[in-house]
Amino acid sequence: MTYPYGSSSMKTPALAACLLTLLILPLASQAGNCKLDINPVTSGFFLNPTLDRLMVQSMTSVKPGFDCKLQKGDEIVQINTQLVKGQKARVVQAYWKGLKQDAPVTFKVMRGGKPMTLMLED
């Protein structure tokens, strides 16, 4: 299908924001010895969105026998000292990428409406 000059195949700004968020925060990230598939929910300007929620879709250990402790549906609220909710996606991404594979990581999550602190250490 062709579009006249000035129109776009993107029907809503929300779709554009969602696509750009996927570029900003990878769907598969690593934290310590866990590989996580995450679902970021954002708002605000799509080139530098604000994180509203960061949900765990799935997780696997990259080290045999390591317990990731996170569960599908957990909402990540804090990673070590880095807050997630209300922060710019690029700030959280930079922090996330800086985590060392064998370093301990503390996650504050909401699970079933209850706050939990999960320590992932070797």
Side-chain angles (χ1 to χ4, degrees):
M1 177 176 215
T2 59
Y3 293 94
Y5 180 77
S7 69
S8 169
S9 61
M10 295 229 185
K11 299 292 183 193
T12 64
L15 179 59
C18 181
L19 291 174
L20 284 172
T21 299
L22 297 179
L23 296 174
I24 293 170
L25 278 175
L27 286 177
S29 296
Q30 191 163 321
N33 289 306
C34 293
K35 180 179 176 187
L36 302 172
D37 291 323
I38 57 174
N39 179 26
V41 177
T42 64
S43 61
F45 186 59
F46 67 91
L47 290 177
N48 193 15
T50 299
L51 286 169
D52 296 327
R53 298 174 79 189
L54 192 58
M55 304 298 294
V56 175
Q57 296 298 307
S58 67
M59 79 298 314
T60 54
S61 174
V62 296
K63 186 175 184 180
F66 186 79
D67 181 13
C68 288
K69 299 180 184 175
L70 292 163
Q71 295 180 4
K72 180 178 180 174
D74 284 350
E75 178 183 352
I76 299 172
V77 217
Q78 188 171 329
I79 308 162
N80 292 331
T81 60
Q82 176 62 58
L83 292 174
V84 173
K85 188 174 184 173
Q87 302 301 307
K88 294 295 184 183
R90 291 181 187 190
V91 171
V92 176
Q93 178 194 33
Y95 184 81
W96 192 293
K97 284 184 174 183
L99 294 174
K100 304 293 182 205
Q101 183 173 347
D102 292 325
V105 180
T106 301
F107 285 97
K108 289 190 179 178
V109 300
M110 292 296 289
R111 181 181 291 166
K114 296 180 181 178
M116 297 183 76
T117 300
L118 306 172
M119 178 86 164
L120 308 182
E121 54 188 338
D122 197 14

